[in-house]
Amino acid sequence: MLKFLGKRVLQIVILLFIYVTVVYWLIEAMPGSFVDQYLLNPKLTPEIRENLKRQFGFDKPAHIRYLIYMKNFLTLDLGISFSYFPTKVTTIIAERLPRTVFLFVTSTLVSYVLGYSLGKRAAWKRSGILDKTTTFVGIVFWTIFLPLLAIFNIWLFGVILKILPLNQFIDPNLWKTAPLSAQTIFIRLLLTALVFLIVFLIALLISNRLKTIPAKKTMLYTSSITTIVVSIVIWILSGYSIYAWDIIKHMVLPVLTLTLYSFAGSMLVMRDTMLDVIREDYITTAKAKGLPDNVVRDKHAARNALLPLVTNFVISLGFTVGGGIITETMFSWPGIGRAYLEALNTQDTPLLIGLLVFTGIFVLIAHLVADVLYAVLDPRIRY
Amino acid sequence: MTEMVVAEPLWKIRLKLWVRSFKTGWELFKEKKLALFGLGVIIFFAIFGLLYPLYPMIMRNLFWKDDPFGYQTFMPYDPIIGFDPDIVSHPSPPSLRHPLGTDPLGRDILSMIMYSTPREFVLGITAALITVIIGTIIGASAAYYGGVIDTFFMRLADIVMLFPSLALLMVLSAFMELTLFRLALIMGILAGFGSITLVLKAQALTVKVRPFIDAAKSTGASDAYIIFRHIIPNILPLSFLYMMFNVTGAIFTEAVLSFLGLANIRMSWGVIIQMAESSGYLMGASIGTYWWLWLPAGVCITLLCSSFYFLGRGLEEIVNPRLRKR
Amino acid sequence: MLLSVRDLRMYYRTKMGYVKAVDGINFDLDQGESLGIVGESGCGKTSISMTILRLLPDNAEFKTGSVLFDTGNGPVDLVKLPESEMRKYRWRGISMIFQAAMNSLNPVYRVGDQIIEAIQNHFPDMPLDKAREKVAELFTLVGLDPSRMDQYPHQYSGGMKQRAVIAMALACDPKVIIADEPTTALDVIVQDRILKEIRKIQKKLNMAMIYISHDIAVIAEVSDKIAVMYAGKFVELADAVTVFKRPMHPYTYGLMHAFPSTVGEKTELVTIPGEPPNLLNPPKGCRFAPRCPKADSVCLDVDPKYREVEKNHFVACHHPVQPKEVVRFYAD
């Protein structure tokens, strides 16, 4: 296992270096640059012009700049943004990342849970009414033009039903008098979600050790509900709950849109794998043992069909960073995707490279996690 | 007793075999209602797009009989430069003159949609065809030769897959004017070196170990001959299937790029929605008021994308035995 | 009678029509008795066991018949039970050793846990340590090291998997075990050892067993009674010695002479010409008639009744083979 991991990490490091190099030269070769636009200003004196060039690093030839970039990259320094001068690229990413991650992890989780349970039911009763409707509806949403879905949801929930706010990250009127910045509240929200996730995972591990199904269920439900109640109480006592609620309200629409858009992906994978697993002899054995239908479906069939789904899940988490461009634009959500679009429009080269490189790292780490998870879930795999 | 051998040319036998396998495939396909639905929608759009030249003629005879001069000057049903001077304010809601209304510049939305339809087909099919040709050849050769060639293309696929394709296309849009054809070409090539090679290589590997490959080798067939005559025909069904999914992807990506204003395409379904967005009709509470600016085009994109996907799924259930029903 | 099957008919629905896989099967099984069902592949052997346990695929259609199972307080007809009731009899009343033992164990669970699952499903009150003790006992019984119960199936060899599957079949002390080709996937030596072991356990626990195999040698080794199946029907049923010494159906005769015997007098080896019929449209009369050297016009027209020609010797043939008679099959 360790040997395999070592090999994988080495592969990933090599891949990453090639990737960074390609990205660097690609962006570098883009016609025009931020500084060019800047230097067009006729008011600038030659000295300031030279000064600026030096500050942005344009006095050195491209290959030297590349080497400097790679050197900095090794110390995890992605340079300084042009358009947000003198903010570091890593600072911008650190600020934007939680928003994107929170949005996407939530919707990916919801859509996978949905896809898992629909997919297994659809396959179990193949060609049944559930199978047919979920496949049809799922594929229509899977191939829907995402901006259309976003517009439609904004129109339905924001304009017609008036229950959710229109596209924005926060409500500016409310936050004028807020004692804390939106980012701080947001980070705290994220931490709450993280605590919940950890508690849930621990409960899941413990319940796996428990033997009877009622005991497992009680363990899971009580621990989850307790954490939710406790965290809600803490939020209310802290007095920041209206602000947190405002952020959550603004999250509902993007999460809903993304979930609808993506649940079919996991559902179809689950359904197809299930169809494969159902034919296995151990499913007949399980039925012959006199186990109830849903136990055979969930414990024997779905558990085996889970493996490809889990890898898919981790890998799709990796793509969240890049996939956010459309959603974040549609919902004015200031995350990584929006930052990318802005950086492209202002020709902010360091930010652009930084965002692409970061996305790559994210995807590669996700792949590594998927490999490890696969080995954990399937006892047959020993690297 | 001597047997009578009826000399039949090889092409005739091939044709017969082809017709027979097509017939059995069609029998299986007929049962997939969703795939039939997809095929129906595709055929509908194809006819819809081809009928475009008729549309202005019909409208002229209906509404512009008395004003041939105005028709000549303003070309109200031209998808790019058209304008209807008889309507006071644009965008105007759907009416008899303009079944799907007009856009902020006074162009007829239905004519824009009809005009774009064949272009969407050309774009999607060109891109998918390039992808599949590249993917099939690489997949087959990587599986057949193995070794360095295999490693090279597989690592290349790893790197290509690392790039978020939309983000990459956005960067490329800064390099060049992404016209319809260029966009199709770039999308096709990018996807061709990506994940499709992995899938097709896996399939080609299963073909490579079959006995007829060894038989062909022992008769002294060249590598190229084996790859093109024996391996590729056997992975072609799968390639064809992936082509359907790639059409969906290409049309979607084009629409998104156009929507973000990054492609240099004069008219497409994505451009129609971008027009609504950039003129501010998608902001705030007015979003539902001007529905004809975004809904018809959006529905067209969705329908065409999903119908190709439905078709692909239907074919998958025929090609891929593990999805077959018993 | 522990189990009596009467006029069992189950057809598979296909696009071309009904495949008559089980077409009027009758047999009785007593405590401690073992019945071997032998027949060519595709003759419907496995479908019988699936029909009895009601583990049929969606396209299977149950037609007629009854499966009377003695529960201890009177017989119940398994065919008429609702699904939830039926579940209680699976494994606890009738358990199974499956055709592909290699694949009958779920790869992601420990072998012991899979057996415990079956036990706890039928005896929910049994505490875990008791269940584990029971599994350990079963492992010892089938010749496996009890310490292996916490291993995964992929850590077992083929023969060990087979033993584990047998242990699993015994887990709920069933009254009947159906063994469907229990040893086909194993090599001959392991096969023989496992068969002997099954036989020993069966005698020891006084269970009833149904063996299903295409291999008459396997069936001969373990069965008290032998049923010969052809194209969805039993053609002959008698105790093992009778079937071997005095087969009355020409098909059985052909089968008995198709295997070389190392003991006893030398006889001519026989092959039966032709192919078994398509179960979609089986022949109108006797299903074996097209391949039978003794067939006449009656055979082609009238389906022979399955009747008791001697005591406990059932045959479905218009012209049973007489003692000392030599039947010659002609090659085609």
Side-chain angles (χ1 to χ4, degrees):
Chain A
M1 183 76 188
L2 274 180
K3 203 179 148 200
F4 168 80
L5 275 184
K7 217 175 128 189
R8 271 304 269 165
V9 169
L10 187 74
Q11 259 180 13
I12 281 175
V13 169
I14 295 172
L15 262 179
L16 192 63
F17 267 86
I18 299 175
Y19 175 74
V20 173
T21 310
V22 174
V23 166
Y24 185 89
W25 286 109
L26 188 74
I27 305 291
E28 191 62 46
M30 255 167 79
S33 78
F34 185 75
V35 177
D36 288 343
Q37 287 181 10
Y38 219 80
L39 296 183
L40 285 178
N41 191 343
K43 281 183 195 158
L44 294 176
T45 61
E47 294 99 77
I48 300 178
R49 218 171 270 213
E50 284 310 304
N51 223 343
L52 265 175
K53 269 197 169 178
R54 204 164 338 113
Q55 245 185 348
F56 287 132
F58 279 100
D59 54 336
K60 300 185 191 72
H63 65 276
I64 303 284
R65 274 184 284 145
Y66 167 68
L67 290 179
I68 293 173
Y69 190 87
M70 288 313 263
K71 204 188 83 202
N72 289 340
F73 173 66
L74 286 178
T75 58
L76 293 178
D77 179 4
L78 298 175
I80 292 168
S81 159
F82 290 163
S83 50
Y84 292 92
F85 195 81
T87 320
K88 285 187 155 196
V89 170
T90 38
T91 317
I92 298 178
I93 293 179
E95 188 200 336
R96 300 269 179 135
L97 185 67
R99 300 172 191 161
T100 298
V101 165
F102 198 19
L103 192 65
F104 273 85
V105 169
T106 316
S107 59
T108 314
L109 262 177
V110 175
S111 74
Y112 267 76
V113 169
L114 196 66
Y116 166 78
S117 54
L118 285 179
K120 76 179 182 199
R121 288 188 170 82
W124 195 248
K125 296 259 183 309
R126 184 175 187 174
S127 305
I129 189 97
L130 182 85
D131 185 20
K132 281 183 179 149
T133 43
T134 51
T135 310
F136 181 78
V137 174
I139 290 182
V140 169
F141 276 123
W142 180 240
T143 52
I144 202 169
F145 187 51
L146 187 51
L148 178 76
L149 183 62
I151 297 169
F152 184 79
N153 276 345
I154 292 171
W155 173 71
L156 183 66
F157 291 98
V159 181
I160 299 292
L161 300 174
K162 290 194 172 59
I163 47 172
L164 290 169
L166 296 177
N167 38 351
Q168 242 152 23
F169 177 49
I170 47 170
D171 183 2
N173 289 330
L174 178 70
W175 289 81
K176 266 183 216 154
T177 53
L180 286 171
S181 77
Q183 184 73 4
T184 325
I185 301 278
F186 189 76
I187 299 283
R188 289 189 189 174
L189 259 179
L190 198 62
L191 283 178
T192 317
L194 199 67
V195 168
F196 174 72
L197 203 68
I198 292 171
V199 170
F200 184 79
L201 284 179
I202 293 174
L204 202 67
L205 278 181
I206 296 175
S207 71
N208 255 337
R209 306 268 155 186
L210 295 175
K211 286 304 165 184
T212 57
I213 293 170
K216 282 182 185 183
K217 277 192 178 158
T218 348
M219 176 74 212
L220 268 184
Y221 288 144
T222 46
S223 58
S224 325
I225 291 170
T226 323
T227 336
I228 291 176
V229 169
V230 167
S231 49
I232 287 176
V233 167
I234 292 177
W235 272 104
I236 288 175
L237 289 180
S238 73
Y240 301 131
S241 53
I242 40 162
Y243 302 109
W245 179 238
D246 187 50
I247 290 180
I248 291 176
K249 261 196 329 202
H250 282 89
M251 260 185 69
V252 172
L253 265 188
V255 167
L256 178 75
T257 307
L258 277 173
T259 308
L260 282 178
Y261 176 63
S262 58
F263 80 92
S266 51
M267 188 189 80
L268 294 177
V269 170
M270 184 66 194
R271 177 182 177 272
D272 294 353
T273 333
M274 267 294 265
L275 287 181
D276 230 10
V277 171
I278 283 173
R279 293 180 194 185
E280 295 282 347
D281 294 315
Y282 52 77
I283 300 301
T284 321
T285 313
K287 280 186 194 162
K289 278 199 252 181
L291 300 175
D293 215 37
N294 56 343
V295 174
V296 180
R297 185 189 68 201
D298 295 348
K299 195 177 163 192
H300 288 272
R303 173 65 178 73
N304 272 280
L306 199 60
L307 298 169
L309 197 71
V310 168
T311 10
N312 248 34
F313 172 68
V314 175
I315 291 171
S316 69
L317 273 186
F319 278 108
T320 55
V321 180
I325 298 168
I326 307 169
T327 324
E328 288 178 5
T329 311
M330 292 310 297
F331 290 100
S332 317
W333 187 265
I336 295 273
R338 268 273 296 271
Y340 186 80
L341 199 61
E342 285 163 17
L344 194 75
N345 286 334
T346 54
Q347 295 229 313
D348 186 347
T349 329
L351 186 56
L352 213 52
I353 300 176
L355 287 169
L356 276 176
V357 165
F358 182 78
T359 313
I361 298 176
F362 212 83
V363 175
L364 285 173
I365 291 177
H367 274 95
L368 194 67
V369 173
D371 282 336
V372 174
L373 256 181
Y374 215 105
V376 171
L377 280 175
D378 191 340
R380 282 166 297 182
I381 294 177
R382 287 283 169 268
Y383 295 116
Chain B
M1 196 182 83
T2 52
E3 252 178 83
M4 289 285 287
V5 178
V6 184
E8 210 169 353
L10 198 60
W11 65 267
K12 234 179 179 172
I13 299 173
R14 285 232 171 93
L15 191 74
K16 267 187 188 164
L17 281 174
W18 188 82
V19 167
R20 191 183 303 159
S21 69
F22 180 80
K23 265 186 187 158
T24 47
W26 176 249
E27 285 296 315
L28 284 167
F29 184 81
K30 259 196 333 201
E31 286 175 23
K32 316 267 176 285
K33 292 287 174 290
L34 288 181
L36 275 184
F37 166 77
L39 190 64
V41 173
I42 292 171
I43 292 173
F44 165 76
F45 269 111
I47 295 171
F48 179 69
L50 290 176
L51 287 182
Y52 165 68
L54 287 178
Y55 173 64
M57 274 155 49
I58 295 170
M59 292 317 251
R60 188 169 80 167
N61 289 333
L62 283 178
F63 298 104
W64 297 80
K65 265 214 175 98
D66 314 326
D67 189 7
F69 178 73
Y71 186 85
Q72 291 286 320
T73 326
F74 295 105
M75 297 213 275
Y77 296 102
D78 188 283
I80 292 153
I81 52 164
F83 181 75
D84 191 337
D86 297 353
I87 286 171
V88 182
S89 74
H90 292 289
S92 67
S95 61
L96 281 176
R97 287 168 79 98
H98 301 287
L100 288 177
T102 57
D103 81 341
L105 300 181
R107 301 180 288 191
D108 182 87
I109 299 236
L110 181 61
S111 96
M112 286 156 87
I113 289 179
M114 283 178 95
Y115 173 82
S116 308
T117 309
R119 277 154 187 78
E120 303 288 343
F121 271 97
V122 168
L123 173 108
I125 291 172
T126 314
L129 210 59
I130 294 172
T131 303
V132 163
I133 291 173
I134 296 175
T136 309
I137 294 177
I138 291 182
S141 352
Y144 182 74
Y145 291 110
V148 183
I149 293 178
D150 182 24
T151 318
F152 174 76
F153 281 116
M154 291 305 115
R155 292 293 88 78
L156 185 67
D158 281 347
I159 293 174
V160 171
M161 276 154 66
L162 213 51
F163 277 96
S165 58
L166 189 62
L168 187 63
L169 282 167
M170 286 164 69
V171 170
L172 290 179
S173 73
F175 278 92
M176 57 183 104
E177 306 271 87
L178 286 180
T179 58
L180 191 83
F181 187 67
R182 274 195 201 148
L183 185 62
L185 200 71
I186 293 173
M187 283 196 294
I189 293 172
L190 278 180
F193 286 99
S195 60
I196 192 171
T197 54
L198 302 181
V199 182
L200 292 179
K201 182 200 142 190
Q203 180 72 12
L205 274 180
T206 66
V207 178
K208 187 197 168 190
V209 296
R210 303 248 285 271
F212 59 81
I213 299 294
D214 280 332
K217 265 188 207 163
S218 64
T219 59
S222 69
D223 288 350
Y225 183 86
I226 293 176
I227 289 175
F228 281 96
R229 293 309 284 271
H230 291 294
I231 295 184
I232 287 183
N234 278 290
I235 58 174
L236 222 48
L238 201 66
S239 313
F240 186 64
L241 164 81
Y242 273 86
M243 199 179 126
M244 297 299 145
F245 296 139
N246 274 298
V247 173
T248 303
I251 294 175
F252 182 86
T253 312
E254 182 274 331
V256 169
L257 278 177
S258 294
F259 172 69
L260 295 175
L262 293 172
N264 185 28
I265 293 171
R266 280 200 303 175
M267 186 47 62
S268 79
W269 294 339
V271 170
I272 297 173
I273 303 179
Q274 196 251 334
M275 179 52 115
E277 155 105 76
S278 62
S279 341
Y281 289 99
L282 294 187
M283 300 283 278
S286 66
I287 211 166
T289 326
Y290 298 100
W291 57 269
W292 64 91
L293 293 180
W294 50 270
L295 191 64
V299 166
C300 283
I301 299 170
T302 308
L303 265 180
L304 194 61
C305 282
S306 54
S307 59
F308 271 105
Y309 201 91
F310 279 127
L311 189 61
R313 287 271 312 170
L315 292 175
E316 192 171 14
E317 294 201 11
I318 296 169
V319 173
N320 188 346
R322 81 187 181 100
L323 292 180
R324 246 184 233 170
K325 204 171 181 181
R326 266 182 287 274
Chain C
M1 263 326 131
L2 183 57
L3 184 71
S4 48
V5 173
R6 288 287 170 272
D7 193 35
L8 197 62
R9 274 171 219 273
M10 190 278 301
Y11 298 167
Y12 291 110
R13 209 177 328 106
T14 67
K15 240 181 284 174
M16 267 95 86
Y18 283 111
V19 171
K20 303 183 176 85
V22 178
D23 205 7
I25 295 293
N26 294 287
F27 67 86
D28 290 317
L29 194 65
D30 224 340
Q31 189 102 37
E33 202 177 25
S34 69
L35 167 75
I37 300 176
V38 69
E40 286 163 274
S41 48
C43 72
K45 299 175 306 239
T46 302
S47 298
I48 296 182
S49 58
M50 291 309 184
T51 314
I52 293 174
L53 276 173
R54 288 180 37 194
L55 293 172
L56 295 165
D58 296 339
N59 68 334
E61 227 168 77
F62 180 80
K63 288 292 181 191
T64 60
S66 61
V67 178
L68 293 175
F69 179 70
D70 189 359
T71 55
N73 21 340
V76 284
D77 189 352
L78 296 185
V79 168
K80 294 201 175 69
L81 285 181
E83 178 64 22
S84 56
E85 283 291 306
M86 180 65 208
R87 226 179 276 140
K88 292 181 191 160
Y89 293 106
R90 289 190 188 134
W91 225 251
R92 191 169 173 182
I94 304 172
S95 75
M96 242 189 123
I97 300 170
F98 279 98
Q99 199 162 17
M102 303 294 138
N103 306 325
S104 331
L105 293 168
N106 194 329
V108 299
Y109 294 115
R110 294 188 172 89
V111 177
D113 289 350
Q114 297 186 44
I115 302 178
I116 290 169
E117 185 189 30
I119 298 175
Q120 288 197 327
N121 182 50
H122 290 284
F123 307 95
D125 300 330
M126 189 185 277
L128 185 66
D129 45 337
K130 271 272 163 56
R132 284 185 68 88
E133 256 171 52
K134 170 99 189 171
V135 175
E137 269 171 42
L138 289 169
F139 266 49
T140 325
L141 186 68
V142 298
L144 279 173
D145 181 358
S147 66
R148 281 188 170 270
M149 63 190 272
D150 287 325
Q151 287 186 335
Y152 288 97
H154 70 275
Q155 292 163 303
Y156 279 45
S157 71
M160 283 158 67
K161 272 187 210 163
Q162 188 66 56
R163 286 165 196 268
V165 167
I166 295 167
M168 185 149 84
L170 295 169
C172 300
D173 305 316
K175 292 184 174 157
V176 181
I177 295 184
I178 302 174
D180 187 352
E181 306 269 9
T183 55
T184 308
L186 303 172
D187 62 73
V188 185
I189 297 172
V190 183
Q191 194 172 348
D192 193 53
R193 239 191 1 237
I194 287 187
L195 280 177
K196 288 215 167 77
E197 219 125 0
I198 299 181
R199 185 72 168 156
K200 214 169 71 197
I201 294 167
Q202 186 219 341
K203 286 265 154 68
K204 191 169 150 195
L205 304 177
N206 196 28
M207 285 178 312
M209 284 208 71
I210 300 175
Y211 290 94
I212 295 174
S213 180
H214 65 276
D215 186 349
I216 195 136
V218 168
I219 294 292
E221 194 165 341
V222 289
S223 315
D224 303 325
K225 287 199 295 194
I226 293 180
V228 179
M229 192 165 180
Y230 184 79
K233 289 172 180 282
F234 280 180
V235 291
E236 185 157 6
L237 175 91
D239 61 278
V241 182
T242 315
V243 169
F244 269 88
K245 292 280 178 218
R246 269 187 32 65
M248 290 177 100
H249 197 280
Y251 178 66
T252 320
Y253 182 93
L255 276 186
M256 294 308 149
H257 291 83
F259 291 87
S261 162
T262 47
V263 289
E265 60 208 276
K266 285 205 175 71
T267 46
E268 205 178 335
L269 279 188
V270 175
T271 51
I272 307 173
E275 293 283 320
N278 183 348
L279 291 178
L280 263 176
N281 312 298
K284 194 173 99 202
C286 173
R287 292 186 180 178
F288 187 59
R291 300 168 76 186
C292 181
K294 294 184 66 150
D296 56 17
S297 57
V298 183
C299 296
L300 289 170
D301 269 350
V302 187
D303 195 13
K305 243 177 91 82
Y306 179 70
R307 61 206 159 98
E308 195 167 10
V309 275
E310 306 167 359
K311 191 168 165 26
N312 290 331
H313 192 166
F314 296 83
V315 179
C317 184
H318 294 296
H319 313 289
V321 183
Q322 297 307 310
K324 303 281 181 214
E325 184 185 340
V326 175
V327 184
R328 292 207 175 276
F329 287 87
Y330 301 97
D332 39 5

